[in-house]
Amino acid sequence: YSKGLTIMNQIAKVENWVIKQGYMVHYGRTDEVCRESKIMTITSTMRTIYKLYTMLHEAGHIILYESPNYSKDYKDVEQGENGDLRHSNSLIFRYKKVIEEIEAWRLGYELAIKLGLRIKKEKYDKYAAKYVITYIKAAANTTGSYHKWGTDE
């Protein structure tokens, strides 16, 4: 671990990593990564440490998107997210979406280690767990829309 790294320095390290992957970082009202536009958006109003955790999670999505097997492993997610309503309501879509979200949190933590960030795993996991539970609830809600995933709605 690097000593003396402020949270802002750590965020800058993740931002630099994101840019090296060919993506841009914007601050706005949502937390997401768009594969097509290659833009990561992070909520600008959240606490700094949570920005870091969220940015790592979104970076985990970039790692997944850029992996050679993404389209094969997550084809059900791609179909569901591309407007195929029948698919986005299917059990396989919901199952794969939960796996993708959990995997993005795991890969985000691995990236933090690789970048030499000072992340307390227990705190990161506790923050991740709050969101993972919302994904599971959304997956179990057969009348819900995956667009609400990761929110408390």
Side-chain angles (χ1 to χ4, degrees):
Y1 290 137
S2 310
K3 292 270 185 259
L5 266 185
T6 67
I7 296 169
M8 291 306 290
N9 293 143
Q10 293 180 81
I11 287 173
K13 277 187 142 188
V14 179
E15 284 178 346
N16 289 335
W17 180 89
V18 169
I19 291 163
K20 282 182 186 154
Q21 309 315 304
Y23 287 72
M24 291 185 292
V25 179
H26 287 190
Y27 289 89
R29 294 183 174 176
T30 60
D31 300 314
E32 61 189 5
V33 174
C34 178
R35 260 178 94 194
E36 289 72 37
S37 66
K38 293 194 176 266
I39 296 173
M40 174 192 285
T41 306
I42 301 294
T43 304
S44 56
T45 55
M46 71 171 83
R47 283 183 53 198
T48 313
I49 188 68
Y50 298 147
K51 276 184 195 165
L52 177 59
Y53 294 166
T54 301
M55 189 175 280
L56 286 165
H57 167 70
E58 298 304 339
H61 281 290
I62 292 173
I63 294 168
L64 284 171
Y65 294 159
E66 299 303 321
S67 71
N69 292 333
Y70 180 81
S71 288
K72 182 173 67 93
D73 294 345
Y74 294 98
K75 78 173 180 357
D76 300 291
V77 172
E78 285 185 324
Q79 288 173 320
E81 288 182 342
N82 289 333
D84 180 342
L85 273 178
R86 185 181 53 80
H87 222 86
S88 65
N89 288 325
S90 71
L91 288 177
I92 192 68
F93 168 81
R94 292 162 184 273
Y95 168 73
K96 289 287 192 165
K97 187 72 180 158
V98 168
I99 288 174
E100 180 187 1
E101 292 295 341
I102 292 170
E103 190 66 359
W105 282 107
R106 186 185 69 76
L107 291 168
Y109 184 77
E110 283 184 5
L111 178 63
I113 301 298
K114 192 172 128 186
L115 295 176
L117 307 185
R118 291 186 302 138
I119 300 289
K120 290 189 174 87
K121 184 155 181 19
E122 309 75 46
K123 288 187 176 182
Y124 180 85
D125 285 349
K126 190 174 178 183
Y127 186 72
K130 185 176 108 173
Y131 288 95
V132 168
I133 293 306
T134 67
Y135 313 143
I136 292 167
K137 285 180 183 174
N141 178 1
T142 55
T143 61
S145 161
Y146 82 91
H147 291 288
K148 299 273 189 234
W149 290 39
T151 69
D152 292 324
E153 292 178 39

